Amino acid sequence: MQELTSSGIEKRLATRKLIAASERDRSCFEGSDVEHLVVYLDVNGRRPATLQNAFPLIGVAFSDAGEADLQEGLALLGSLGTVPAVPVQRLDPVYKSDSFLLLRALTEGGVGRLARYSASITSELAILRRERETLLENYRALEDAFQARNWEPVSEIFSHDPYADPKDEGIGQLLATAFVEQLLPVSSLGVAGFALHLHSVPRTSGELVVALSYLESGEGVAEWTVPYAQLVPNWNFFSLPRTCGGAARTLRLRISATGPETVGLSLGYPIAGERYSARSELPHPDLDLRPLAFKVFTGLPGVKPARAPNMIAPSNLLEGQYIVDYRLAVGALSQIADVSVTPIVPEFQTVRFLEHEHAIVCHPLPSGISAGAISRAVEPGTISFSASAVIDHPEGQPAAVSFLLAPANSNARSEVAELARKGAAKPSAFFSGWREVSSSQVVNINIQLDEPARGPMDLMILSRAVTNSVDYSWLKVSGFRLVKQSTEAADVR
């Protein structure tokens, strides 16, 4: 395509006729500065209504007869359908020299600027056309490469089939009290998603929480928080919005669960290598050289993968975020303060710290709420919190436990009183809801925040009675584990 420069367009415009006039007024234009811009319409000759190298912007008349002829001639141009209505300006022959200066400034000045602007647009369009042709050629080359190598948009490249050992105890409780990690034995380059096998899914409320991150840096990729109602007792596919690109790194899955019942996450056949075996922070016999049952899918790096059946999209993208686990230090636990709101004055200490067990005891009373507060326990960026609770006496009566997160340095007793009075926390706080606890089974309580904590927060542990008796109801809370997001890399082991 031939490119037009600004000077070239202006030269062409110099030969265009931009002013329309009657043949009767030709003498008025002869010898003027705008003579080369005038096209004369001869009405008497009844020439066809066509124009050559002319695009009149204005009609000029110096006499009544000339104006009448011009109006009649311009009316003939309407049949062309491509020339807009041309305004007619009546001028006085006495001041025609001044009028010609204005006409030239109007036609050549304004049209010249338009010509330069049009030239720049034309040049850019030419560049865009070349780039588009190059892009189409690259797409054709990619298609040829895909066809030559028999590549598919999304393909399975690795799989560990599920295997049920008769001696398996199941790791469902482990997911509720801690987490399970699994390294993917493939490069991150081109990974578009993965699948996890579940042999059973609870019908009650609860969620499966899956996080994908890079092992080398700890940087997060994505997180899935999936209600049990969306899962099936088979393969469940977790997709990425875009396949992994950049440098080849190691991907790590971290899986936990919430809810009163455990989810049946399947394990695979035993393997020889420890590196790619599933692991947890708590020992478990089922994880002895056993990986999770999973599949890995790849696609074109950096491209949105094609949809597949039962694909689950991420709840959060963690690009540029680093996931850090941390626990409440002994020093912080030991500073717990009693902020109970109850009319009863007990003869024993209802809230205290068990030093050797790194646990908190919060004994409920027949009425009101027993509560202990730990100032600034929750760090900025925290997105989840979990702890275990149990009645630490074989004859202990059941109780209800909950957690309350409030902005740092808030009035803890006032926060608890608000909850006791209205049954709901203040808008600035986060309430976990009540969970019943007994002496027969340890209950794990998980809290997922809607967004990372913007600043440090106070943690309050609350308990209350669920029956008429609170005899031996020593509610013990331990295993405080928190997860936070950070924009700075932490030491990754």
Side-chain angles (χ1 to χ4, degrees):
M1 181 176 67
Q2 183 181 3
E3 297 182 22
L4 300 177
T5 63
S6 177
S7 59
I9 290 181
E10 290 179 347
K11 289 180 180 179
R12 291 192 177 190
L13 287 173
T15 63
R16 299 283 200 278
K17 309 299 184 180
L18 304 176
I19 301 173
S22 171
E23 185 70 29
R24 299 178 187 273
D25 293 330
R26 178 186 288 269
S27 60
C28 296
F29 290 97
E30 290 179 346
S32 67
D33 293 337
V34 296
E35 182 182 8
H36 62 289
L37 300 174
V38 181
V39 57
Y40 299 101
L41 303 181
D42 186 4
V43 180
N44 294 331
R46 293 293 177 184
R47 287 163 38 176
T50 58
L51 297 175
Q52 183 176 2
N53 291 333
F55 191 90
L57 303 177
I58 188 172
V60 177
F62 286 95
S63 62
D64 293 340
E67 182 178 358
D69 291 345
L70 187 58
Q71 293 283 9
E72 186 179 355
L74 291 175
L76 297 176
L77 299 179
S79 61
L80 297 178
T82 57
V83 179
V86 180
V88 177
Q89 182 66 40
R90 179 69 179 270
L91 300 180
D92 191 340
V94 177
Y95 303 105
K96 66 179 181 179
S97 58
D98 295 336
S99 301
F100 289 157
L101 292 176
L102 293 174
L103 284 174
R104 185 164 186 177
L106 169 67
T107 53
E108 291 189 334
V111 175
R113 288 192 298 272
L114 181 62
R116 288 188 292 272
Y117 180 66
S118 177
S120 65
I121 292 178
T122 303
S123 178
E124 291 176 4
L125 285 175
I127 295 174
L128 288 175
R129 181 175 178 180
R130 285 200 300 268
E131 292 295 333
R132 177 178 178 274
E133 291 175 350
T134 302
L135 182 62
L136 292 177
E137 287 294 334
N138 291 337
Y139 274 124
R140 281 192 286 269
L142 280 175
E143 291 174 355
D144 293 342
F146 270 76
Q147 294 175 359
R149 300 176 184 270
N150 293 323
W151 285 347
E152 298 178 3
V154 174
S155 58
E156 179 185 323
I157 63 165
F158 187 86
S159 176
H160 265 312
D161 293 329
Y163 170 68
D165 192 305
K167 297 178 293 183
D168 284 349
E169 298 178 5
I171 60 174
Q173 189 61 41
L174 186 62
L175 295 175
T177 57
F179 59 83
V180 174
E181 286 187 348
Q182 172 72 60
L183 298 184
L184 302 188
V186 297
S187 164
S188 64
L189 185 62
V191 170
F194 56 92
L196 296 174
H197 190 275
L198 302 177
H199 58 78
S200 65
V201 178
R203 296 183 179 180
T204 58
S205 61
E207 294 175 329
L208 186 69
V209 182
V210 182
L212 183 67
S213 62
Y214 294 115
L215 175 67
E216 289 79 6
S217 64
E219 182 182 358
V221 179
E223 182 181 54
W224 295 260
T225 302
V226 190
Y228 289 156
Q230 298 181 16
L231 299 172
V232 296
N234 204 324
W235 288 107
N236 294 265
F237 299 87
F238 299 80
S239 67
L240 289 169
R242 180 178 301 107
T243 56
C244 296
R249 289 173 282 183
T250 306
L251 288 170
R252 174 178 57 190
L253 281 176
R254 174 170 291 185
I255 306 168
S256 61
T258 66
E261 295 186 21
T262 58
V263 65
L265 183 64
S266 301
L267 294 172
Y269 286 84
I271 59 176
E274 183 178 353
R275 175 176 173 81
Y276 295 107
S277 299
R279 59 168 296 275
S280 177
E281 58 181 342
L282 301 179
H284 196 284
D286 288 3
L287 299 184
D288 185 18
L289 296 179
R290 296 277 299 279
L292 297 178
F294 67 94
K295 298 179 179 181
V296 183
F297 300 86
T298 60
L300 187 64
V303 176
K304 180 179 179 180
R307 288 195 57 83
N310 300 326
M311 276 290 189
I312 302 172
S315 306
N316 298 296
L317 295 181
L318 305 178
E319 296 177 358
Q321 298 288 336
Y322 297 87
I323 306 302
V324 180
D325 284 1
Y326 69 99
R327 296 184 178 275
L328 294 185
V330 174
L333 292 173
S334 64
Q335 299 300 315
I336 189 167
D338 190 340
V339 292
S340 301
V341 177
T342 174
I344 300 175
V345 180
E347 297 179 353
F348 54 89
Q349 188 177 2
T350 56
V351 177
R352 59 192 176 94
F353 169 59
L354 301 180
E355 181 177 359
H356 298 293
E357 299 184 49
H358 296 177
I360 299 294
V361 168
C362 188
H363 196 298
L365 296 173
S367 64
I369 295 178
S370 299
I374 305 174
S375 179
R376 306 178 72 88
V378 179
E379 299 179 8
T382 298
I383 57 174
S384 67
F385 168 85
S386 66
S388 300
V390 68
I391 300 298
D392 196 26
H393 193 283
E395 299 179 9
Q397 297 298 311
V401 63
S402 65
F403 298 102
L404 183 65
L405 304 182
N409 302 322
S410 59
N411 189 319
R413 198 178 300 275
S414 174
E415 298 282 348
V416 177
E418 179 81 5
L419 180 64
R421 184 171 60 255
K422 297 183 177 180
K426 295 180 179 179
S428 59
F430 183 89
F431 179 53
S432 67
W434 293 101
R435 286 281 303 278
E436 186 171 334
V437 185
S438 67
S439 60
S440 60
Q441 185 179 10
V442 176
V443 173
N444 183 258
I445 303 171
N446 289 273
I447 299 175
Q448 291 291 133
L449 302 182
D450 294 334
E451 59 181 18
R454 297 181 179 179
M457 303 188 78
D458 297 342
L459 169 64
M460 280 155 268
I461 303 168
L462 293 72
S463 69
R464 70 178 185 185
V466 295
T467 65
N468 294 329
S469 173
V470 290
D471 293 345
Y472 307 108
S473 187
W474 296 105
L475 175 66
K476 183 174 69 175
V477 183
S478 60
F480 298 94
R481 181 172 61 89
L482 300 96
V483 179
K484 68 177 181 178
Q485 292 180 356
S486 173
T487 56
E488 298 180 359
D491 292 335
V492 179
R493 297 177 182 177

